[in-house]
Amino acid sequence: MTVVGLGVSIIAAIMFGTGKILIGGVLILLNGFFDILDGAVARENGWITPFGGLLDSVCDRYADAIIFVGIIYGVTAENIPDPLLLNIPMWIWCLVALIGSYIVSYTRARAEAAGGRGMNIGIAERPERMIILTIGAFIGLLAPAVVVIVILTHITIAQRLLHARKSL
């Protein structure tokens, strides 16, 4: 199910790239369904393994990246409107959102590896980011949604760093 969810994200990226923003949003929701379901099925059947957790995390990072790449392609191919928020092209906002998404995950992993506890804090973990992106796709405000993700991911990084400083 984890790999199927990644496949759904790839299709979502293609939809964004071709300007089918609403379908891309629906597919992000479907990916979220698979993301929840794979963990639940693993827990229910006693299939939770360290490798399964690693695979899930890696597929989530690929899914995050490919969706933003699809949006970037859609903007640069002029299939998605680029409103130039704060006079900055949307593809740059997407890159900064992608960087923030990765650093949110990295901060948690690195702090936990160093002995930090309770690092799953912050206002923009992956589910929140995907919900924001989906809402933006549904209501025709994809660019502002990406900007919100940029802001919230970097707030989350700061929250995790402050928490790590206290717990390490």
Side-chain angles (χ1 to χ4, degrees), residues 10-148:
I10 292 169
I11 297 168
I14 292 167
M15 293 300 104
F16 281 117
T18 57
K20 296 176 180 93
I21 297 170
L22 186 58
I23 296 171
V26 169
L27 290 170
I28 290 174
L29 281 181
L30 184 59
N31 170 263
F33 171 75
F34 279 109
D35 203 25
I36 292 168
L37 193 61
D38 67 354
V41 168
R43 279 187 294 281
E44 181 66 28
N45 292 300
W47 296 340
I48 294 178
T49 65
F51 177 75
L54 174 64
L55 179 65
D56 183 62
S57 184
V58 168
C59 285
D60 285 350
R61 299 299 74 76
Y62 270 116
D64 287 349
I66 196 70
I67 288 168
F68 282 115
V69 167
I71 294 169
I72 290 168
Y73 178 80
V75 169
T76 58
E78 298 182 357
N79 295 327
I80 296 175
D82 187 354
L84 289 176
L85 297 175
L86 299 175
N87 209 29
I88 299 171
M90 189 168 162
W91 68 268
I92 291 177
W93 286 112
C94 285
L95 287 177
V96 178
L98 180 57
I99 291 166
S101 296
Y102 273 74
I103 301 301
V104 163
S105 298
Y106 178 79
T107 304
R108 176 181 178 176
R110 184 65 182 93
E112 287 176 350
R117 293 177 307 282
M119 295 305 304
N120 60 338
I121 63 164
I123 58 175
E125 292 194 84
R126 186 169 190 268
E128 290 84 2
R129 295 190 306 265
M130 293 300 104
I131 288 169
I132 292 166
L133 203 54
T134 300
I135 290 169
F138 284 176
I139 65 173
L141 296 173
L142 190 60
V146 171
V147 173
V148 168

Side-chain angles (χ1 to χ4, degrees), residues 153-166:
T153 55
H154 291 85
I155 290 171
T156 301
I157 293 163
Q159 289 174 312
R160 288 185 176 185
L161 286 172
L162 291 171
H163 181 76
R165 185 168 188 224
K166 292 176 187 174

